[in-house]
């Protein structure tokens, strides 16, 4: 220490002497031919320069010291957060449901306090829901209180998906529920924005209500592909979809109910590609579709109901092309089609009922081209066509009924297929 101090004093002294000499030369040169420079002026300049240099060095030292203190504080905080994480994870694995509940709240709060590792905390909570879950109290593996723990996780996630502008929001993060079992859960008002996703692929929905009422999918993706719906209600009523995607492709439905009533689709896509529907209800009543598509391409439908009654289509497409409709009912009653399309091309009808009664077509198209009718009913009773098109071109009919009772036509451009039931004036 004494050696360092001695060297520092020598350096400071040398710097002062050098500054003094430099100031003397500079001032003498500036005042050449005039009054000699007072030595006090030289000393003042030297002291002033030394003071400025000292202030800069002191500032640099203080800044460096602050960085070191902040680094130490950050390391202490990181250590504390890591300890909280370990404790919360331990609680989630506890035998007692009350302790697991405490772990849920601890992990969710930790995610709020730890932005750098927020996704990790979210992954832990989602992983808990993906663990094996027995819903039947009489079966081995059933855990008392487990349902409440899982519902609490879902509520904790929902609460952090409400406001994308909140500093603790999870709206930009990824939620992975792949293969999880749901017998309820409330995601009401959840918001999924650009870059986010919620993955329910291969999940099992057996009972209860999984609510997405008033949810907002804005550029995000909600994936239910290959999921199994054997009961309960999935509620997307009053939800809004803009530039987002909800994917039910290859899902299996055997009794669940889906509510999309009064949902709004703007430039978004809801896909049921190649889904198997052997029961259940899909309720799109009162939905508003503007440049948004709902696709049942290649769907296998029997005994189910798909209801678009009172829906409004503006430049949108509802697609049932290549669907196998060997039972069940499709309703598009009292709806409004303006510039959009309902597409049944290459579909197979054998016992299904498609009801367009009281539908209003303005520049819209209903296409049955290359469809195969071996049984079933298609009804346009009391429908109104204003420059709309119904296309049965190249359709194959062995036994089917098409009802055009009291159809209103005004300058409609229609392409008909081989149906003797069509009135001659059409």
């Amino acid at each position: 220490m004494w050696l360092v101090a001695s060297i520092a004093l020598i350096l400071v002294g040398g710097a002062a002497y050098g500054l003094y000499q430099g100031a003397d030369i500079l001032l003498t040169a500036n005042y050449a031919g005039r009054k000699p420079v007072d030595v006090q002026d030289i000393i003042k300049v030297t002291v002033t320069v030394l003071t400025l240099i000292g202030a800069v060095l002191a500032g640099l030292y203080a800044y460096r010291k602050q960085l070191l203190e902040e680094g130490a504080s950050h390391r202490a905080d990181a250590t504390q957060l890591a300890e909280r994480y370990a404790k919360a994870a331990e609680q989630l694995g506890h035998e007692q449901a009350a302790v697991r509940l405490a772990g849920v709240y601890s992990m969710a709060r930790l995610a709020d306090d730890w932005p750098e590792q927020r996704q990790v905390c979210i992954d832990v909570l989602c992983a808990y829901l993906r663990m094996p879950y027995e819903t039947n109290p009489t079966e081995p593996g059933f855990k008392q209180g487990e349902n409440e723990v899982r519902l609490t996780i879902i509520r904790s996630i929902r609460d952090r998906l409400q406001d994308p502008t909140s500093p603790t929001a999870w709206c930009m993060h990824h939620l992975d529920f792949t293969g999880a079992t749901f017998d309820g859960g409330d995601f009401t008002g959840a918001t999924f924005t650009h870059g986010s996703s919620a993955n329910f692929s291969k999940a099992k929905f057996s009972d209860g209500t999984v609510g997405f009422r008033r949810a907002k999918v804005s550029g995000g993706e909600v994936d239910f592909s290959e999921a199994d719906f054997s009961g309960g209600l999935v509620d997307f009523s009053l939800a809004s979809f803009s530039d987002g995607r909800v994917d039910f492709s290859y899902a299996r439905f055997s009794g669940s109910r889906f509510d999309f009533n009064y949902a709004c689709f703007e430039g978004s896509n809801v896909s049921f590609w190649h889904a198997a529907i052997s029961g259940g209800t899909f309720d799109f009543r009162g939905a508003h579709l503007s440049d948004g598509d709902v696709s049942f391409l290649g769907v296998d439908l029997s005994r189910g109901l798909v209801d678009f009654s009172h829906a409004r289509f503006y430049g949108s497409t509802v697609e049932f092309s290549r669907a196998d409709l060997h039972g069940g009912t499709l309703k598009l009653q009292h709806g409004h089609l303006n510039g959009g399309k309902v597409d049944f091309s290459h579909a197979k009808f054998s016992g299904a009922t498609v009801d367009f009664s009281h539908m209003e077509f303005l520049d819209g198209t209903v296409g049955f081209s290359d469809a195969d009718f071996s049984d079933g009913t298609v009804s346009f009773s009391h429908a109104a066509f204003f420059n709309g098109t119904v296309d049965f071109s190249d359709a194959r009919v062995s036994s089917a009924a098409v009802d055009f009772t009291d159809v209103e036509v005004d300058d409609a451009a229609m392409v008909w297929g081989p149906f003797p039931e069509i009135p001659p004036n059409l």
Side-chain angles (χ1 to χ4, degrees):
M1 181 180 67
W2 288 108
L3 179 61
V4 172
S6 301
I7 294 174
L9 287 174
I10 293 172
L11 291 175
V12 171
Y17 178 77
L19 285 171
Y20 177 84
Q21 293 297 326
D24 184 20
I25 295 172
L26 180 63
L27 291 175
T28 301
N30 289 335
Y31 285 89
R34 287 179 279 176
K35 182 181 177 180
V37 178
D38 191 345
V39 69
Q40 292 184 354
D41 293 336
I42 299 175
I43 294 173
K44 287 180 181 179
V45 172
T46 302
V47 171
T48 301
V49 174
L50 284 173
T51 301
L52 290 174
I53 293 174
V56 171
L57 292 176
L60 291 173
Y61 173 77
Y63 176 68
R64 175 61 177 169
K65 183 178 180 181
Q66 181 182 357
L67 289 179
L68 292 174
E69 291 176 350
E70 288 179 353
S73 176
H74 181 75
R75 286 191 294 272
D77 290 342
T79 300
Q80 183 188 39
L81 292 169
E83 290 173 353
R84 288 173 57 187
Y85 174 84
K87 182 178 180 181
E90 182 180 356
Q91 288 176 319
L92 286 172
H94 201 275
E95 286 294 323
Q96 297 296 322
V99 179
R100 296 199 298 276
L101 278 172
V104 171
Y105 289 117
S106 297
M107 189 64 72
R109 180 61 184 273
L110 178 60
D112 296 339
D113 297 340
W114 202 2
E116 298 86 354
Q117 298 297 329
R118 182 169 295 161
Q119 184 63 59
V120 174
C121 298
I122 294 172
D123 291 342
V124 171
L125 293 176
C126 292
Y128 188 99
L129 294 178
R130 296 198 304 269
M131 294 174 63
Y133 172 45
E134 179 53 62
T135 61
N136 189 343
T138 63
E139 293 293 329
F142 178 80
K143 291 183 178 180
Q144 193 68 35
E146 180 66 6
N147 176 262
E148 181 59 30
V149 175
R150 299 171 75 88
L151 292 179
T152 300
I153 292 176
I154 294 172
R155 285 195 298 268
S156 298
I157 294 174
R158 175 207 62 196
D159 292 344
R160 290 160 176 82
L161 294 175
Q162 300 297 308
D163 181 9
T165 63
S166 171
T168 59
W170 296 4
C171 300
M172 290 294 294
H173 292 272
H174 301 283
L175 306 172
D176 186 1
F177 305 110
T178 304
T181 298
F182 290 88
D183 57 351
D186 185 7
F187 292 93
T188 299
T191 300
F192 303 93
T193 58
H194 286 278
S196 67
S197 65
N199 189 355
F200 294 86
S201 64
K202 300 181 181 180
K204 297 176 177 61
F205 297 82
S206 59
D207 199 3
T209 297
V210 180
F212 292 89
R213 185 178 175 85
R214 299 185 184 277
K216 300 178 182 65
V217 181
S218 177
E221 180 174 357
V222 182
D223 184 3
F224 291 91
S225 62
E226 299 185 69
D228 192 339
F229 300 88
S230 58
L233 168 66
V234 179
D235 185 4
F236 278 95
S237 59
L238 298 171
S240 62
F241 305 87
S242 56
D243 299 320
R245 176 179 173 82
V246 181
D247 185 5
F248 292 93
S249 59
Y250 296 95
R252 297 170 298 280
F253 305 92
S254 58
S256 293
R257 176 182 175 88
F258 283 82
D259 276 355
F260 286 91
N261 50 324
Y262 298 100
C264 183
F265 303 86
E266 296 184 2
S268 58
N269 179 270
V270 178
S271 171
F272 292 87
W273 287 7
H274 301 282
I277 304 173
S278 58
T281 301
F282 298 84
D283 186 357
F284 290 87
R285 288 177 298 171
H288 180 103
L289 293 89
S290 176
D291 297 319
D293 300 332
V294 179
S295 177
F296 289 86
L297 183 148
V299 72
D300 188 332
L301 174 65
S302 64
R303 302 195 310 278
L305 170 64
V306 180
D307 191 352
F308 283 91
S309 298
H310 299 281
R312 297 290 184 267
F313 305 91
Y314 299 92
S316 299
T317 299
V318 178
E319 183 177 21
F320 289 90
S321 62
R322 304 188 185 279
D324 189 352
L325 310 174
H326 49 92
T329 302
L330 307 178
K331 290 185 178 181
L332 294 97
Q333 303 169 326
H334 300 278
H336 179 92
L337 184 66
N338 188 344
K341 184 177 183 179
V342 182
D343 184 7
F344 289 92
S345 60
H346 301 279
K348 296 180 180 179
F349 294 83
S350 57
T353 298
V354 181
D355 189 352
F356 290 95
S357 60
H358 300 276
M359 186 82 173
E360 188 176 64
F361 299 89
L362 284 81
D363 297 317
T365 299
V366 180
F368 293 92
S369 61
D370 290 295
D372 192 337
F373 293 86
S374 60
D375 194 6
T377 302
V378 179
S379 174
F380 289 93
S381 66
H382 299 90
F385 293 90
F386 304 96
N387 295 312
T389 300
V390 179
D391 182 4
F392 285 100
S393 60
D394 298 315
R396 295 168 295 281
V397 181
S398 58
S399 176
V402 180
D403 182 6
F404 289 94
T405 303
D406 294 322
V407 171
E408 180 182 352
V409 179
D410 183 11
D411 298 327
M414 297 188 179
V415 181
W416 300 111
F419 288 99
E421 297 90 347
I422 300 173
N425 63 320
L426 296 180

